[in-house]
Amino acid sequence: MHYAAGIDVGSLSTEAVILDSEARIVGESILETGFHSTRAAEKAFEAALAHAGLPAEAIETAVATGYGRISVPFAAKRITEISCHALGAWRLFPDTGTVIDIGGQDSKVIQVGTEGRVLDFTMNDKCAAGTGRFLDVMAAKLEVPLEDLGRLSLEARGEATISSVCTVFAESEVVSLVARNHPREEIIRGIHRSIVHRVVSMVRVVGVQGQVTMTGGVALNQGVVALLSEELGRPVRVPAEPRTVGAFGAALHALKGGA
């Protein structure tokens, strides 16, 4: 039995996944990236090894992905997160045709072909709007734990209008709504709607095909997923742990020898 590892160093969190030779997950971890990408990668790798009950010497190949992939010294190869999310999502749901990944710092829409091959993609990496960072800022402004946003959004009886796609201006709109004692649940739903509008505009660039799979930390927000499904007019599937799909895809690449 041999093992392979995938490390995804993102702007907010770092994930590690360890696979056995049959591509089964035997260890995984999710940690905050903090201020040092290399240290985050090392700690995530060590935590995944501990979860698997394996020494580092058992890992035959490691592949790194994500923003900080260049800072993973023990990686044999570095592969873009677009390729890793496509392969990871396809492996989890083989009929996946479109992947929507909303991470901490960017959003991506990926068209996926056979064997998890990337056919086309578009991404938003110039602005925090439509990303996990946008939700972090808004949750802090509304004094709501990030993990409660989805539930509160689903409880809303109406929806506030957030017209700006810029984080700074959207925050000003939220401040104005709070000043008028607008129901918090409706503000949150309006924030989610603004994110979804931005993502759907990206979907229109590459088109949507097949089944849609959502990855990344924002996929844990049921409010965003529900609105995205509504706007696309089709179900949006979410893996059991959407945050590790990039690391899983990197580990699959490692299992193939870093191809």
Side-chain angles (χ1 to χ4, degrees):
M1 182 72 73
H2 64 275
Y3 300 92
I7 317 293
D8 183 0
V9 184
S11 58
L12 298 180
S13 65
T14 295
E15 297 83 25
V17 168
I18 294 174
L19 302 180
D20 66 15
S21 54
E22 302 297 322
R24 294 174 298 212
I25 296 176
V26 297
E28 60 185 345
S29 69
I30 303 171
L31 301 175
E32 291 185 2
T33 299
F35 69 96
H36 201 288
S37 295
T38 299
R39 196 168 301 160
E42 290 170 346
K43 287 184 175 179
F45 183 47
E46 290 168 3
L49 284 170
H51 185 208
L54 294 170
E57 294 75 22
I59 306 302
E60 199 165 281
T61 309
V63 165
T65 187
Y67 271 102
R69 61 184 180 272
I70 195 171
S71 301
V72 184
F74 54 87
K77 191 167 184 177
R78 295 158 186 85
I79 297 176
T80 69
E81 57 265 43
I82 292 166
S83 294
C84 291
H85 277 267
L87 182 58
W90 173 82
R91 180 74 186 203
L92 293 170
F93 301 113
D95 58 350
T96 294
T98 304
V99 175
I100 296 173
D101 168 45
I102 306 181
Q105 204 66 33
D106 65 25
S107 305
K108 314 173 196 68
V109 178
I110 310 164
Q111 262 195 16
V112 181
T114 55
E115 303 295 315
R117 188 164 50 92
V118 176
L119 300 179
D120 198 2
F121 74 93
T122 185
M123 64 187 297
N124 159 37
D125 61 352
K126 304 297 184 186
C127 172
T131 69
R133 177 60 183 159
F134 179 77
L135 284 176
D136 277 343
V137 171
M138 297 305 160
K141 178 59 61 181
L142 293 169
E143 297 182 340
V144 173
L146 188 62
E147 58 272 21
D148 288 347
L149 289 179
R151 175 181 59 78
L152 292 170
S153 174
L154 294 176
E155 292 175 0
R157 295 184 176 181
E159 182 175 315
T161 299
I162 309 292
S163 57
S164 178
V165 295
C166 169
T167 301
V168 175
F169 292 129
E171 184 176 1
S172 296
E173 288 187 60
V174 168
V175 169
S176 177
L177 289 165
V178 169
R180 299 200 299 270
N181 294 321
H182 205 95
R184 188 162 58 178
E185 292 82 359
E186 296 184 9
I187 297 174
I188 293 169
R189 188 177 172 91
I191 290 168
H192 289 167
R193 182 74 72 183
S194 73
I195 290 177
V196 167
H197 280 167
R198 193 169 181 87
V199 172
V200 169
S201 70
M202 294 168 60
V203 170
R204 292 195 181 107
V205 172
V206 297
V208 60
Q209 64 172 23
Q211 299 296 317
V212 177
T213 300
M214 187 172 176
T215 64
V218 176
L220 294 171
N221 184 317
Q222 295 176 324
V224 171
V225 175
L227 290 178
L228 195 52
S229 179
E230 175 188 311
E231 296 266 349
L232 293 176
R234 62 180 68 202
V236 173
R237 298 176 305 190
V238 177
E241 181 42 89
R243 293 173 295 179
T244 58
V245 174
F248 178 55
L252 289 170
H253 279 294
L255 207 56
K256 295 192 296 183

